[in-house]
Amino acid sequence: MSNGADPFELASIITAHDEGNFAEAVVPPIFQTSLFTFSDYDDMIASYRGEKVRPIYTRGLNPTVRMFEEMLAKLEGAEDALGFASGMAAISSAVLAFVEPGDRIVAVKHVYPDAFRLFGTILKRMKVEVTYVDGRDEEAVAKALPGARLFYMESPTSWVMEAHDVGALAALARKHGVVSMIDNSWASPVFQKPITLGVDLVIHSASKYLGGHSDVVAGVVAGSKEMVARVKAESYPYLGGKLSPFDAWLLIRGMRTLPIRMKAHEAAGMTIAKRLQELDVVETVCHPGLANRLPAGLMGTSGLFSFIFREGVDIRAFADHLKLFKLGVSWGGHESLIVPGEVVLQQKAQPNSAHTFGIHARSVRLHVGLEGTEALWRDIEEALAVA
Ligand SMILES: *Cc1c(COP(=O)(O)O)cnc(C)c1O
């Protein structure tokens, strides 16, 4: 496997799909079609017999979606990738491709809440057990792995930002014959390439940094041909969470600027995290970039982190007074966002709603967008003045 392409090499993938039909358009067309017709009976039967690979029906293969998949695979240094209608479709299809009743999954604690809920509902009903471990504790991971089918990672986690040594954990999984997966949405392939660190499958919520413009919900799974083929064989076609051509086109558009956006999120996020850490009203800032060094394999940090206020701060007034940071879930777009932890902790009507995901009641999560560091810092200072 390659070491992961330089994002600027991606143009070659788009050109490779041009069989003379794209009129040298700088932006590839959207194959907004559900089906593809055959020139004659022989053409059709050759495709059905598998003698010829060509698009037949968009739930199976669509050229626009394929372009996105090839771009992402190349960025991650993976052999193949599959696009999905959401990050959760990617997670559920990837996990369900590998487990059977009676199997056990080892997962790092504080995974994305809906992944946790998938494990606690559908997988539980399927008699698949999940053991949670602290991914920073390699001994605990090594102890939990023997006999497990799957090791599910997310690093850094998306609220408390626990960052793991992904290569070391992947090596442990390999040693015990356990298939490893990681949700790499936070770092994006610009800052972490888990396939090159020995992880079997990488998953993204492409709704976040890959898309980057908050206008698409999508997901992707990448890995070796063999691993991706396992997903492609059953859960991908039969659960049917296929990425749409238009959303794939938006992702291709978004990924052109991924490295530039990630560097801007990193710089602004680091500056704001450091300044927050200096404030008397702030107890702790949870940002992997504030540690002495990043875990091996993590090459940079994104714009998503959280911090905990000291007692006595009016978090409601702080949130309501912010102008650039909007109250809103999700992240990874151009816009800055804030989520107060005490709001999330009151989320009702969800399976296992008592689970806290490590969220402190006085914490807030920030996504630092692209509005400009000084303007964002002024926004925070003005809101703090009334909090
Ligand atoms: C948003 C998110 C997901 C789920 O992705 P969707 O596209 O919303 O289905 C999974 N993992 C992480 C870390 C996320 O932030």
Side-chain angles (χ1 to χ4, degrees):
M1 275 188 210
S2 79
N3 287 326
D6 179 327
F8 294 108
E9 287 172 30
L10 295 176
S12 64
I13 290 168
I14 295 167
T15 330
H17 276 264
D18 184 351
E19 288 158 357
N21 308 325
F22 296 1
E24 298 186 55
V26 68
V27 174
I30 312 174
F31 285 83
Q32 189 68 33
T33 180
S34 62
L35 69 106
F36 300 81
T37 56
F38 301 93
S39 58
D40 56 20
Y41 185 100
D42 280 348
D43 186 26
M44 190 168 189
I45 204 160
S47 304
Y48 268 72
R49 284 177 176 155
E51 292 160 11
K52 193 169 169 181
V53 179
R54 49 153 285 169
I56 296 174
Y57 184 57
T58 277
R59 178 156 51 78
L61 179 61
N62 174 285
T64 315
V65 175
R66 191 61 199 148
M67 254 181 255
F68 159 69
E69 291 168 345
E70 289 180 14
M71 282 172 83
L72 189 277
K74 196 155 184 189
L75 273 179
E76 286 284 8
E79 288 173 351
D80 203 359
L82 278 178
F84 287 88
S86 69
M88 280 312 300
I91 292 170
S92 54
S93 293
V95 170
L96 288 168
F98 289 89
V99 294
E100 289 176 27
D103 280 348
R104 190 166 59 85
I105 297 174
V106 176
V108 298
K109 64 177 189 173
H110 304 150
V111 293
Y112 179 69
D114 280 350
F116 175 83
R117 293 178 187 121
L118 167 73
F119 296 158
T121 55
I122 295 173
L123 286 172
K124 192 171 173 195
R125 278 207 301 285
M126 280 179 60
K127 308 272 180 268
V128 174
E129 189 199 328
V130 183
T131 317
Y132 290 92
V133 289
D134 187 337
R136 294 165 301 184
D137 183 348
E138 283 166 33
E139 247 171 69
V141 174
K143 241 168 105 180
L145 282 173
R149 177 75 58 195
L150 200 70
F151 181 39
Y152 186 90
M153 294 179 266
E154 184 180 325
S155 179
T157 55
S158 57
W159 194 287
V160 246
M161 311 293 147
E162 291 145 337
H164 310 136
D165 184 335
V166 172
L169 297 186
L172 284 174
R174 192 145 295 194
K175 183 175 145 199
H176 292 287
V178 180
V179 173
S180 58
M181 289 181 189
I182 187 167
D183 181 333
N184 197 32
S185 308
W186 185 90
S188 91
V190 172
F191 291 143
Q192 187 164 259
K193 297 180 193 290
I195 299 289
T196 69
L197 302 172
V199 179
D200 292 318
L201 283 170
V202 173
I203 301 167
H204 284 277
S205 168
S207 326
K208 312 294 163 55
Y209 286 125
L210 296 181
H213 294 71
S214 302
D215 52 10
V216 56
V217 170
V220 65
V221 174
S224 66
K225 277 206 164 65
E226 191 193 340
M227 285 286 170
V228 173
R230 281 282 293 264
V231 183
K232 208 184 265 186
E234 291 175 357
S235 52
Y236 170 76
Y238 306 146
L239 295 178
K242 174 79 182 188
L243 177 60
S244 79
F246 182 58
D247 286 346
W249 184 85
L250 286 171
L251 293 172
I252 293 167
R253 192 269 316 253
M255 279 160 65
R256 290 174 192 273
T257 54
L258 181 66
I260 292 162
R261 287 187 284 110
M262 293 312 292
K263 279 169 197 143
H265 287 297
E266 175 179 49
M270 273 311 303
T271 303
I272 288 177
K274 281 182 185 158
R275 290 184 189 173
L276 283 168
Q277 202 176 27
E278 300 297 310
L279 298 180
D280 289 340
V281 290
V282 171
E283 191 172 293
T284 319
V285 180
C286 306
H287 186 304
L290 296 176
N292 288 338
R293 56 172 193 88
L294 292 177
L298 188 61
M299 298 173 280
T301 57
S302 68
L304 186 79
F305 66 95
S306 68
F307 64 94
I308 303 174
F309 275 119
R310 283 196 205 283
E311 270 176 69
V313 177
D314 185 345
I315 295 176
R316 177 193 292 258
F318 175 71
D320 280 344
H321 201 79
L322 289 166
K323 290 191 179 62
L324 292 176
F325 284 89
K326 306 281 185 202
L327 281 157
V329 297
S330 194
W331 43 270
H334 47 82
E335 75 286 7
S336 291
L337 296 165
I338 175 171
V339 181
E342 57 192 5
V343 172
V344 179
L345 292 173
Q346 287 181 41
Q347 186 172 24
K348 290 274 163 17
Q350 295 279 3
N352 310 305
S353 56
H355 195 82
T356 64
F357 305 101
I359 299 173
H360 192 287
R362 291 198 312 276
S363 67
V364 300
R365 190 181 75 180
L366 295 183
H367 177 252
V368 178
L370 305 174
E371 296 92 338
T373 311
E374 295 312 322
L376 290 170
W377 182 248
R378 240 185 344 268
D379 199 28
I380 289 174
E381 280 187 323
E382 283 169 15
L384 279 174
V386 300

